[in-house]
Amino acid sequence: MTSPQDPIYRIPKYSNQLRLKPAELIHLNYAVPGFSQDTLIQSFFEVARKKSTHNRIVRFKYRLGTEIKRLSFEIATGIYVPAIPHTFKRWCSCGQKYRKIVAPSVADLIVQWTLYKRLYPIIDATLIDTNFGCRRQGGYQKAAFKTTEFLREMPEDAWYLQIDISKYYYSIQKDILYSFLKCYNISRPDLMMLELFLREHPIAPGSILAQLFGLVYLNEFDHHVINVLGHKRYIRYVDDMIFICKNKQEARYLLNYVTKYFKVNLKLCLSHWKYNPIKSGIDFCGYINYRNVRLLRKRSKKAFSKSLRERDWDALESRLAHAIYTANYSNLIKRLKLALEQDKYLYNPPTPPNHILKRIYDWDVTHSFSL
């Protein structure tokens, strides 16, 4: 039996007349543009696609019709209030630190995903081409490829500036963000719903709207760098930025300019920064990027070794997929083949899955042609 304290159990709370039983709620058919019951049901199945075994998803699906009716009624009558999200910390292997994760309730996830589907095309059309974070046509590998492309366009004595924003999502100023959101062609109901989430929820990783807010908050800065400063070789992945500069003086100037711009206009500060010659390599998006080669980080190679010792096939697949466009990939495949050869002498050897064997086969075919 679900208790009223359960964040999934959503009851209108402003009037006793609105405290309807589920049987009575089934006969209601309230809806507002963009939040019809059919739209909310479709959003639920899209949200639950990769979370179908989660307990809260299973409980919500068990009473899907009642909950969708209730959620649509709350939105239509203006009494919808997001529930208090569940917060926890999770270790981030990329940043090598714990991150605070905010997990909204299932009903809030449905509303957020409905908003995201409608607003993402509007916002994505205004973003620069070298912004690769949290985008459908982006990704860290495309950001690494673009970095290599810019490095090859510059002379060998060029420099680069790399900056990272301190606690980016937690540092977003909601009043500044809302002023940016009003500049987009967003309908009034959607804008009011965004304002409601800004007021009731913190901006933190774990929320799909946080990704959207992160894109919007630095979008004006991205255009300022390219159109006002005229710096064309600029790449951003969420809060990690790379500026390819002609010399050390330009890198210093950009560092001072960006620091002041963030402090005055966006109320942000930098967690760390560095400027070095490009021949020393750029540690960006999980790779060490050079003009003519791309290498893995040391901790990525250590993680591969650990997964290989433990025969963790899923982790190995992830490490190999990450390394496929690097100069280290052939060495990793050779080590994997050697480990599998040694396993044959065991009494009960572990059996690698087909996707691992396919990677070895594809490498063998490519290597035979290269010979």
Side-chain angles (χ1 to χ4, degrees), residues 58-97:
V58 173
R59 293 199 306 266
F60 194 95
K61 188 176 181 180
Y62 181 73
R63 53 180 188 273
L64 180 61
T66 301
E67 291 294 341
I68 291 297
K69 287 275 187 176
R70 188 187 302 278
L71 181 59
S72 179
F73 172 74
E74 290 184 13
I75 295 174
T77 54
I79 61 174
Y80 169 75
V81 178
I84 299 176
H86 172 61
T87 59
F88 58 94
K89 289 186 178 181
R90 176 166 292 179
W91 176 256
C92 176
S93 59
C94 180
Q96 293 295 298
K97 59 184 177 181

Side-chain angles (χ1 to χ4, degrees), residues 138-252:
Y140 72 94
Q141 289 187 341
K142 289 189 177 181
F145 275 111
K146 198 66 177 180
T147 303
T148 304
E149 178 184 334
F150 284 162
L151 289 177
R152 291 174 178 173
E153 294 174 357
M154 299 295 289
E156 295 184 358
D157 59 347
W159 285 60
Y160 75 91
L161 168 66
Q162 183 174 9
I163 62 177
D164 191 8
I165 299 175
S166 175
K167 299 180 180 179
Y168 174 50
Y169 286 108
Y170 313 108
S171 302
I172 293 178
Q173 302 297 313
K174 295 184 178 181
D175 53 342
I176 299 176
L177 173 63
Y178 187 70
S179 66
F180 290 157
L181 290 171
K182 291 192 294 186
C183 298
Y184 292 88
N185 187 23
I186 301 176
S187 64
R188 182 171 177 79
D190 290 347
L191 195 60
M192 293 176 63
M193 190 64 72
L194 290 175
E195 183 182 5
L196 180 62
F197 275 104
L198 285 176
R199 186 171 64 248
E200 300 291 338
H201 275 196
I203 301 176
S207 168
I208 188 67
L209 288 183
Q211 300 181 15
L212 212 59
F213 294 154
L215 291 173
V216 171
Y217 200 68
L218 284 177
N219 189 29
E220 183 175 333
F221 170 75
D222 294 340
H223 287 280
H224 184 84
V225 169
I226 292 180
N227 300 324
V228 178
L229 295 182
H231 196 89
K232 305 299 182 182
R233 294 177 179 87
Y234 161 72
I235 303 170
R236 179 165 76 89
Y237 188 82
V238 189
D239 61 340
D240 199 357
M241 307 173 196
I242 296 291
F243 300 81
I244 310 297
C245 308
K246 297 178 181 179
N247 47 51
K248 184 177 181 180
Q249 290 73 23
E250 184 182 0
R252 282 182 173 178

Side-chain angles (χ1 to χ4, degrees), residues 131-145:
N131 179 6
F132 295 97
C134 302
R135 299 183 68 180
R136 294 173 184 170
Q137 303 301 324
Y140 72 94
Q141 289 187 341
K142 289 189 177 181
F145 275 111

Side-chain angles (χ1 to χ4, degrees), residues 8 21 34 44 65 79 135 166 197 210 214 250 274 343 367 369:
I8 303 175
K21 299 178 181 178
F44 167 77
I79 61 174
R135 299 183 68 180
S166 175
F197 275 104
E250 184 182 0
K274 61 181 177 180
D343 286 347
H367 188 65
F369 279 111

Side-chain angles (χ1 to χ4, degrees), residues 7-57:
I8 303 175
Y9 191 81
R10 312 183 58 82
I11 299 179
K13 57 183 180 180
Y14 291 97
S15 173
N16 291 330
Q17 297 178 353
L18 298 178
R19 296 183 180 273
L20 303 175
K21 299 178 181 178
E24 299 171 335
L25 194 57
I26 292 295
H27 301 290
L28 296 175
N29 192 21
Y30 289 90
V32 294
F35 293 97
S36 64
Q37 295 180 20
D38 293 339
T39 304
L40 295 176
I41 290 176
Q42 181 182 1
S43 297
F44 167 77
F45 284 108
E46 292 172 354
V47 166
R49 185 177 302 163
K50 296 184 178 180
K51 302 179 181 180
S52 58
T53 58
H54 289 200
N55 289 335
R56 57 181 187 150
I57 296 292

Side-chain angles (χ1 to χ4, degrees), residues 233-355:
R233 294 177 179 87
Y234 161 72
I235 303 170
R236 179 165 76 89
Y237 188 82
V238 189
D239 61 340
D240 199 357
M241 307 173 196
I242 296 291
F243 300 81
I244 310 297
C245 308
K246 297 178 181 179
N247 47 51
K248 184 177 181 180
Q249 290 73 23
E250 184 182 0
R252 282 182 173 178
Y253 170 78
L254 282 173
L255 175 61
N256 295 329
Y257 187 93
V258 170
T259 304
K260 293 179 180 178
Y261 185 95
F262 283 165
K263 184 177 181 180
V264 174
N265 297 319
L266 299 176
K267 312 301 181 187
L268 299 173
C269 60
L270 305 183
S271 61
H272 65 267
W273 52 266
K274 61 181 177 180
Y275 50 85
N276 290 312
I278 62 173
K279 61 184 179 182
S280 64
I282 302 178
D283 188 351
F284 182 57
C285 286
Y287 303 109
I288 309 297
N289 301 276
Y290 294 91
R291 287 168 54 90
N292 300 316
V293 69
R294 185 179 301 115
L295 302 176
L296 286 176
R297 290 172 172 170
K298 287 185 178 179
R299 65 170 176 259
S300 297
K301 291 185 283 187
K302 290 181 180 179
F304 175 84
S305 300
K306 179 181 178 181
S307 302
L308 186 59
R309 288 195 305 269
E310 299 174 353
R311 298 300 189 267
D312 187 347
W313 304 118
D314 292 336
L316 279 173
E317 172 65 19
S318 175
R319 305 301 178 189
L320 290 173
H322 176 67
I324 190 170
Y325 297 114
T326 67
N328 306 99
Y329 185 70
S330 294
N331 182 46
L332 300 185
I333 291 292
K334 290 178 182 178
R335 290 176 57 188
L336 177 60
K337 291 178 63 177
L338 179 60
L340 294 181
E341 287 291 334
Q342 295 174 351
D343 286 347
K344 293 180 180 179
Y345 298 98
L346 298 177
Y347 176 73
N348 187 16
T351 304
N354 292 332
H355 55 79

